[in-house]
Amino acid sequence: RRVCLGVHSTAAWVLRPPLPAEAMEPVEPTTAMPEKSTKRRAKRADNKIDTWFKDSRVDKYFKVTERGSNFTTEFIAGCTTFLTACYIMAVNPNILSVTGLNYEGLVFATAMSSCVATLIMGLWANLPFGLWPGMGMNAYFAYTIVGFKGTLTPVKKVMFAVLIEGVVFMVMSALDVRRY
């Protein structure tokens, strides 16, 4: 059984021993559970743009039709993702600038790390996911670990620890250590 341990912006998977057999036995519910609805949302009808997009090079590369979607749905999802990214691009540098780091540099770092990660996810992994820094962990980093202008822990030491953590998890992922 796998358990995820979140560490900064990465996750480590570790194996936990299986539960005893008695914990795996089904238990009678004490109250009636509502039935799950099997109704699915109706698929959006294809418009002219969707028909034009089908069987194009882009459709074949990203497997849009094969995955049961169409251009219009993906466009709306992309706009929603972009608006979320705009919010993170505005708030994340503000959170981290409390530590004394340069605001303009934080904007650039947030934008570039998001761009590179999203391009890797889209072009190499062929998955439609936008990746951005986790603001919850960044708030923890800024307000709890470092403090205002580095009053709790110097920001350079903490950034070095984050760098080491990232390298360790990249090596663990490359060596597929989680399987052992």
Side-chain angles (χ1 to χ4, degrees):
R1 192 167 164 197
R2 293 180 181 174
V3 177
C4 177
L5 300 174
V7 179
H8 196 58
S9 62
T10 58
W13 292 92
V14 295
L15 294 177
R16 216 169 70 180
L19 294 172
E22 58 272 3
M24 301 294 267
E25 294 175 10
V27 178
E28 281 294 318
T30 55
T31 60
M33 300 293 287
E35 292 290 324
K36 280 190 174 181
S37 175
T38 56
K39 291 182 183 178
R40 290 209 173 235
R41 197 169 179 197
K43 186 177 182 272
R44 176 177 278 130
D46 288 346
N47 57 31
K48 288 181 183 179
I49 296 174
D50 295 331
T51 307
W52 172 79
F53 182 76
K54 275 187 180 177
D55 297 324
S56 66
R57 280 184 175 175
V58 176
D59 180 38
K60 289 177 184 174
Y61 181 78
F62 290 110
K63 303 175 185 173
V64 175
T65 306
E66 183 181 323
R67 291 179 175 155
S69 188
N70 59 27
F71 179 81
T72 305
T73 302
E74 295 300 318
F75 182 78
I76 292 169
C79 289
T80 305
T81 304
F82 175 75
L83 292 174
T84 305
C86 290
Y87 169 74
I88 292 172
M89 291 297 297
V91 175
N92 192 56
N94 283 328
I95 291 173
L96 291 175
S97 65
V98 171
T99 63
L101 294 171
N102 181 346
Y103 179 80
E104 289 80 18
L106 292 169
V107 170
F108 179 77
T110 302
M112 283 307 295
S113 64
S114 301
C115 178
V116 169
T118 301
L119 285 174
I120 289 171
M121 187 62 78
L123 299 175
W124 189 33
N126 200 1
L127 293 171
F129 299 141
L131 300 175
W132 292 278
M135 291 195 311
M137 291 307 292
N138 284 341
Y140 174 73
F141 166 84
Y143 301 125
T144 305
I145 304 295
V146 177
F148 181 73
K149 304 279 184 190
T151 54
L152 299 175
T153 309
V155 71
K156 287 184 179 182
K157 285 184 181 179
V158 178
M159 292 299 277
F160 183 70
V162 170
L163 172 75
I164 297 300
E165 172 263 335
V167 169
V168 166
F169 280 103
M170 286 184 69
V171 168
M172 288 174 65
S173 296
L175 298 176
D176 205 15
V177 174
R178 69 184 177 110
R179 293 192 189 267
Y180 298 106

